[in-house]
């Protein structure tokens, strides 16, 4: 079973509109070459609020097709994911730091990373080639992002074509490479017949290398008409021979891999001016990787009969002697005995002649990893058969930090649980440490720190090295009023019961195991009763729990069911309504021992339950709202004129009968937020909401008469996550430009027990948790007016300034301004002077100007209003040569603030 973020998980969201761990300081922000885009002015109340964000910990969950170590600085490493952005390794915390959380709704495709490159000459530079699909599913062209501060901030060069971080062949590479001798020169291998591209100005501009003769011709499935399987996988890797150049001059010998089974490797010996096919190369295969060991002069190729990452039935490994021109088949297994292709490939930079490779598509009984210490003349492998089906492993595995990686399985030999992996297209030996190796799978990053025990006859220890890397596609979320605070429905790995949001759950939902959970619900008045539905190769597609999701049992299902669809539980748990894929809407009493088709509602409708009346259920499809008052047996069409297209979601308010909020639509038609207070007979649209895609509820603010409403929406011209504590009369944006996570339209819910807490779905960055600084939701008993005889306070503002990250020559800082007065700010300017030579280079959530040491930060359009007792935050990166001493005085609109 593939446990990456599979194409289908992304495509569902892609066709609708698109498809963790808290950072130290603010995460990365992006700038286009034209400068930041100003937020549009809001015509509703879009106040400022201060939220902190983190992931509900799962640790992994999706495909990691690329790991890149910098070869000049120890412990500097990056990882790329197919739909969940890029990460930088934090050695001190042994965790990954997300770098692309700033990717916004309109450019959601930039969360797919097809390649990464870390600059050997200047380790501060890192590049990412981004874009999720090369066909119409992705509305934007690809881009090459560049950062001079290790991913803390970015600039973008948009390309004249699309890139495919979640396309077939995405495990090949790396397609993006920096010339190790002249780091202003970069190459990018493009898909879709777009050829080889080059930049000579550090990624600012790009042009096609017109002299390159072959744009590739291999497609996974030429008969596919969608543009997915039939896309030409193009130029798939670029490798330099650094020996053929010197510092400041371009490298002369460059090798390029092409998706062409007859012509898979090309070379230039004149710095990229001319190119030719290397004679004598293997044919009939695609070179997934090409890695050059400069100590021996050997270029190694791992080859497969397909582009992967799922398929591949035959493979080889070849060595090319760059001095003599001799090709040698060094395959560790005879071609006739392979049932998989080779992909992952790395050489030990500390031990010339040592290399490793993976049989990436060996799904059963396990993946295989191969190792040679003599340039491929002989090999050993991570596991061997003793007497079939028993096997002997050269490794041990400890997944106690991420226990769900066993899938709760107890397989028969030769399978094991946990598995060594699957889809193992990335494997890298640390260039500074022969004992450390990391490799990516379809669900995690594994690694070891005693790799050389392999060679001495001992066992090396494999553990997950994935903390902080959260790559799951979230389909649904629920936060019951008692029991676990969060239940999740996830693509590929089913979902979890999160009893501790900061701990990795012991196991995903089992009994039944579902490839992807599409919908879940609990009984509002009996939260121990939970139901979930999802996709699987065969029945069952539904599971029930009577203990709040701790344990499950599978239910029966109607004939014809092919997928999960949506499901709803009666408010008291007495029955359920299910709208599965492949069959009509059905209802049941009890736990699904038998199902009866519901009347009056079309197949494929989205279903939900009333959260107070156990006999009342709701449905929606194609602009019409449906209501049942008899437990789902019959439905009646009620309100019409609602959105007929797009991603439409609706929820009923807990504890109140008939109060329904509906979000969704598409730009070409109706698109917004509606509310019904008469059980769906009529709906009223919120005029101040431009667009909305999901809605949920949380604990009411102190003194408020209505539960807090959360939406993923566009309000006042600004896309974001918003909340309202007054039933939608006013809205507060609670995320910021550094926390956008691309597409967030699948699900959102507040926590009924903690005011302000919100859970947000993403399509590749897991479950985001927002915590409000306003934990009390306002002061219901404000202090009386101050005694006029007492001296006034120093100021109506308080400022905290914190340096959150530092590196050689630079730093990152966060600033929070709190309104300590009795009247709201309506626009603000914060001023300070640096005590040293610091210079602001990039600021987010505020604009800035600097004259000498003096800095003035000014609100942007959406965060100018700051209510009494509320806070507003912004962040920035800067340069410094003499230390990052913090300012000790601040002024707001010219008046002194207290410093916290």
């Amino acid at each position: 079973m593939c446990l990456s973020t599979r194409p289908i998980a992304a495509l569902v969201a892609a066709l609708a509109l698109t498809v963790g761990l808290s950072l130290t300081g603010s995460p990365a922000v992006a700038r286009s070459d034209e400068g930041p885009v100003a937020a549009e002015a809001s015509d509703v109340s879009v106040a400022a609020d201060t939220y902190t964000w983190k992931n509900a910990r799962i640790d992994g969950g999706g495909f990691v097709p690329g790991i890149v170590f910098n070869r000049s600085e120890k412990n500097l490493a990056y990882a790329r994911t197919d739909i969940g952005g890029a990460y930088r390794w934090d050695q001190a915390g042994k965790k990954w730091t997300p770098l692309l959380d700033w990717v916004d709704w309109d450019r959601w495709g930039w969360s797919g990373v097809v390649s990464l490159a870390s600059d050997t000459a200047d380790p501060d530079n890192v590049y990412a080639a981004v874009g999720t699909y090369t066909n119409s599913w992705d509305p934007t062209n690809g881009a090459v992002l560049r950062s001079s501060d290790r991913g803390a901030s970015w600039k973008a060069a948009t390309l004249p074509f699309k890139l495919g971080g979640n396309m077939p062949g995405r495990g090949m590479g790396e397609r993006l490479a920096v010339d190790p001798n002249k780091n202003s020169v970069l190459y990018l291998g493009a898909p879709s017949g777009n050829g080889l591209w080059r930049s000579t100005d550090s990624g600012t501009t790009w042009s096609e290398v017109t002299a390159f003769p072959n744009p590739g011709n291999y497609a996974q499935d030429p008969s596919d008409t969608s543009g997915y399987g039939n896309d030409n996988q193009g130029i798939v890797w670029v490798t330099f021979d650094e020996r053929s150049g010197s510092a400041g001059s371009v490298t002369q010998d460059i090798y390029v891999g092409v998706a062409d089974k007859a012509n898979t490797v090309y070379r230039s010996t004149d710095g990229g001016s001319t190119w030719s096919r290397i004679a004598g190369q293997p044919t009939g295969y695609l070179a997934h990787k090409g890695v050059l060991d400069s100590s021996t002069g050997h270029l190694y190729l791992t080859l497969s009969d397909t582009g992967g990452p799922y398929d591949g039935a035959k493979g080889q490994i070849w060595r090319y002697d760059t001095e003599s021109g001799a090709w040698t088949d060094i395959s560790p297994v005879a071609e006739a005995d392979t049932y998989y292709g080779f992909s992952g490939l790395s050489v030990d930079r500390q031990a010339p002649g040592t290399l490793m490779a993976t049989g990436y598509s060996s799904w059963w009984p396990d993946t295989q990893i191969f190792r040679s210490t003599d340039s491929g003349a002989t090999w050993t492998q991570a596991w061997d058969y003793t007497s079939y089906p028993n096997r002997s492993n050269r490794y041990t595995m400890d997944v106690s930090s991420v226990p769900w990686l066993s899938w709760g399985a107890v397989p028969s030999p030769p399978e094991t649980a946990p598995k060594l992996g699957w889809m193992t297209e990335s494997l890298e030996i640390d260039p500074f440490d022969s004992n450390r190796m990391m490799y990516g799978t379809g669900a995690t990053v594994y690694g070891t720190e005693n790799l050389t025990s392999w060679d001495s006859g001992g066992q090396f220890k494999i553990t997950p090295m994935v903390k902080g890397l959260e790559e799951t596609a979230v389909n649904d979320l629920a936060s019951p009023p008692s029991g676990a605070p969060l239940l999740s429905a996830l693509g590929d790995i089913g979902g979890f019961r999160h009893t501790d949001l900061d701990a990795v759950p012991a196991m995903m939902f089992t009994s039944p195991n579902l490839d992807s959970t599409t919908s879940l619900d609990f009984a509002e008045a009996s939260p121990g009763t939970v139901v979930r539905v999802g996709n699987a190769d065969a029945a069952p597609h539904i599971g029930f729990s009577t203990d709040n999701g701790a344990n499950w049992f599978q239910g029966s299902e109607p004939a014809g069911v092919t997928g999960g669809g949506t499901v709803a539980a009666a408010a008291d748990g007495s029955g359920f309504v299910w709208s599965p894929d492949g069959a009509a809407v059905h209802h049941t009493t009890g736990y699904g021992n038998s199902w009866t088709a519901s009347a009056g509602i079309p197949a494929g409708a989205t279903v939900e339950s009333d959260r107070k009346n156990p006999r009342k259920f709701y449905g929606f499809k194609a602009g019409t709202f449906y209501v049942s008052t008899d437990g789902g047996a019959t439905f009646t069409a009620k309100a019409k004129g609602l959105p007929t297209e797009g991603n439409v979601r609706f929820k009923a308010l807990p504890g109140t009968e008939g109060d329904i909020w509906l979000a969704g639509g598409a730009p070409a038609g109706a698109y917004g937020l509606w509310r019904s207070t008469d059980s769906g007979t009529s709906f009223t649209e919120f005029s101040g909401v431009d667009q909305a895609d999901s809605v949920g509820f949380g604990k009411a603010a102190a003194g408020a008469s209505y539960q807090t409403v959360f939406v993923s929406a566009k309000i006042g011209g600004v896309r974001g996550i918003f909340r309202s504590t007054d039933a939608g009369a006013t809205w507060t944006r609670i995320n910021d430009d550094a926390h956008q996570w691309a597409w967030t339209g699948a699900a959102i819910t507040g926590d009924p027990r903690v005011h302000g807490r919100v859970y947000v779905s993403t399509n590749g960055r897991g479950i985001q948790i927002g915590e409000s600084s306003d934990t009390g939701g306002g002061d219901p008993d404000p202090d009386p007016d101050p005694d006029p005889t007492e001296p006034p306070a120093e100021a109506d503002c308080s400022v905290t300034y914190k340096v959150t990250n530092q590196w050689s020559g630079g730093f990152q800082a966060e600033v929070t301004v709190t309104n300590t007065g009795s009247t709201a700010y309506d626009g603000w300017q914060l001023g300070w002077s640096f005590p040293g030579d610091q210079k602001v280079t990039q600021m987010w959530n505020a604009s800035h100007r600097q004259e000498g040491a003096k800095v003035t930060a000014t609100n942007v359009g959406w965060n100018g209003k700051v209510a009494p007792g509320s806070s507003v935050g912004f962040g920035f990166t800067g340069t410094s040569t003499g230390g990052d001493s913090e300012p000790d005085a601040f002024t707001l609109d010219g008046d002194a603030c207290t410093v916290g």
Side-chain angles (χ1 to χ4, degrees), residues 506-750:
M507 194 56 57
M508 69 278 286
F509 299 140
T510 59
S511 301
N513 286 83
L514 300 174
D515 294 355
S516 295
T517 301
T518 57
S519 175
L520 57 80
D521 195 16
F522 63 90
E524 189 69 40
S526 181
T529 300
V530 188
V531 61
R532 61 184 167 93
V533 295
N535 301 330
D537 292 337
H541 296 92
I542 186 167
F544 297 95
S545 173
T546 58
D547 57 7
N548 192 241
N551 297 281
W552 295 85
F553 56 94
Q554 64 190 48
S556 65
E557 58 190 58
V561 172
T562 60
T566 58
V567 70
D572 62 356
S574 59
F576 305 88
V577 172
W578 184 13
S579 178
D581 293 340
V585 176
H586 281 68
H587 71 284
T588 187
T589 56
Y591 295 100
N593 292 323
S594 63
W595 293 87
T596 304
S598 302
I601 185 171
T606 300
V607 295
E608 296 283 356
S609 64
D610 190 86
R611 309 311 284 181
K612 186 173 183 179
N613 184 340
R615 300 288 290 166
K616 188 172 287 188
F617 288 85
Y618 306 112
F620 174 86
K621 187 176 183 181
T624 300
F625 201 81
Y626 301 85
V627 181
S628 172
T629 59
D630 56 7
T634 59
F635 283 81
T636 302
K638 295 290 187 179
K640 298 183 183 296
L642 296 167
T644 58
E645 297 179 344
N647 175 62
V648 179
R649 301 285 187 268
F650 67 94
K651 292 288 184 183
L653 185 74
T656 301
E657 184 174 351
D659 194 338
I660 305 157
W661 293 61
L662 183 145
Y671 197 177
L673 182 68
W674 289 259
R675 182 187 175 194
S676 172
T677 57
D678 55 10
S679 298
T681 300
S682 62
F683 280 84
T684 301
E685 184 175 6
F686 286 85
S687 60
V689 179
D690 306 328
Q691 300 173 355
D693 290 86
S694 58
V695 61
F697 308 100
K699 184 177 180 180
S705 59
Y706 200 84
Q707 293 176 44
T708 302
V709 183
F710 295 94
V711 291
S712 174
K714 184 177 183 180
I715 298 178
V718 178
R719 256 287 169 189
I721 307 300
F722 293 83
R723 80 175 189 188
S724 175
T725 58
D726 53 13
T730 60
W731 296 96
T732 300
R733 187 188 183 199
I734 59 176
N735 71 321
D736 54 51
D737 290 350
H739 300 86
Q740 299 193 76
W741 317 291
W743 192 78
T744 56
I748 190 170
T749 185

Side-chain angles (χ1 to χ4, degrees), residues 345-655:
L345 175 64
S346 185
V347 299
D348 189 338
R349 304 293 176 180
Q350 300 295 316
T354 295
L355 66 151
M356 297 180 70
T358 65
Y360 76 96
S361 53
S362 178
W363 288 88
W364 189 94
D366 207 343
T367 200
Q368 186 60 275
I369 301 176
F370 302 89
R371 180 173 172 87
S372 173
T373 58
D374 54 12
S375 299
T378 61
W379 297 83
T380 52
Q381 51 196 47
W383 58 270
D384 298 278
Y385 286 116
T386 52
S387 56
Y388 185 87
N390 299 312
R391 51 190 261 193
S392 172
N393 298 331
R394 284 187 167 84
Y395 64 90
T396 61
M397 293 192 78
D398 178 2
V399 298
S400 57
S401 63
V402 190
W404 60 262
L405 284 168
S406 73
W407 257 259
V410 186
S412 299
E415 287 191 281
T416 63
K419 283 193 172 187
L420 190 60
W422 52 88
M423 297 167 60
T424 50
E425 294 226 54
S426 58
L427 180 148
E428 292 295 329
I429 303 170
D430 186 333
F432 292 91
D433 184 355
S434 297
N435 269 310
R436 180 159 70 168
M437 176 267 289
M438 295 182 184
Y439 67 97
T441 79
T444 192
V445 177
Y446 280 125
T448 182
E449 294 182 330
N450 69 323
L451 178 60
T452 58
S453 294
W454 180 319
D455 304 323
S456 60
Q459 289 183 306
F460 63 99
K461 181 180 180 180
I462 295 174
T463 59
M465 292 186 176
V466 72
K467 182 179 180 182
L469 195 159
E470 298 284 350
E471 193 202 4
T472 51
V474 184
N475 296 324
D476 203 1
L477 297 168
S479 183
S482 61
L486 180 64
L487 305 173
S488 62
L490 305 178
D492 292 330
I493 58 173
F496 293 91
R497 181 177 188 257
H498 305 259
T499 58
D500 182 344
L501 301 173
D502 296 312
V504 178
M507 194 56 57
M508 69 278 286
F509 299 140
T510 59
S511 301
N513 286 83
L514 300 174
D515 294 355
S516 295
T517 301
T518 57
S519 175
L520 57 80
D521 195 16
F522 63 90
E524 189 69 40
S526 181
T529 300
V530 188
V531 61
R532 61 184 167 93
V533 295
N535 301 330
D537 292 337
H541 296 92
I542 186 167
F544 297 95
S545 173
T546 58
D547 57 7
N548 192 241
N551 297 281
W552 295 85
F553 56 94
Q554 64 190 48
S556 65
E557 58 190 58
V561 172
T562 60
T566 58
V567 70
D572 62 356
S574 59
F576 305 88
V577 172
W578 184 13
S579 178
D581 293 340
V585 176
H586 281 68
H587 71 284
T588 187
T589 56
Y591 295 100
N593 292 323
S594 63
W595 293 87
T596 304
S598 302
I601 185 171
T606 300
V607 295
E608 296 283 356
S609 64
D610 190 86
R611 309 311 284 181
K612 186 173 183 179
N613 184 340
R615 300 288 290 166
K616 188 172 287 188
F617 288 85
Y618 306 112
F620 174 86
K621 187 176 183 181
T624 300
F625 201 81
Y626 301 85
V627 181
S628 172
T629 59
D630 56 7
T634 59
F635 283 81
T636 302
K638 295 290 187 179
K640 298 183 183 296
L642 296 167
T644 58
E645 297 179 344
N647 175 62
V648 179
R649 301 285 187 268
F650 67 94
K651 292 288 184 183
L653 185 74

Side-chain angles (χ1 to χ4, degrees), residues 809-810 837-838 879-884:
D837 65 348
Q838 296 100 314
T879 60
S880 174
T881 60
D884 304 327

Side-chain angles (χ1 to χ4, degrees), residues 70 76 78 117-127 146-151 178 183-184 202:
N70 185 278
L76 180 58
Y78 298 88
S118 182
D119 187 348
T120 299
D122 184 352
D124 285 342
N125 295 333
V126 63
Y127 301 86
R146 63 190 188 276
S147 172
S148 59
D149 51 18
R150 307 177 185 227
V178 184
N183 66 342
S184 60
S202 301

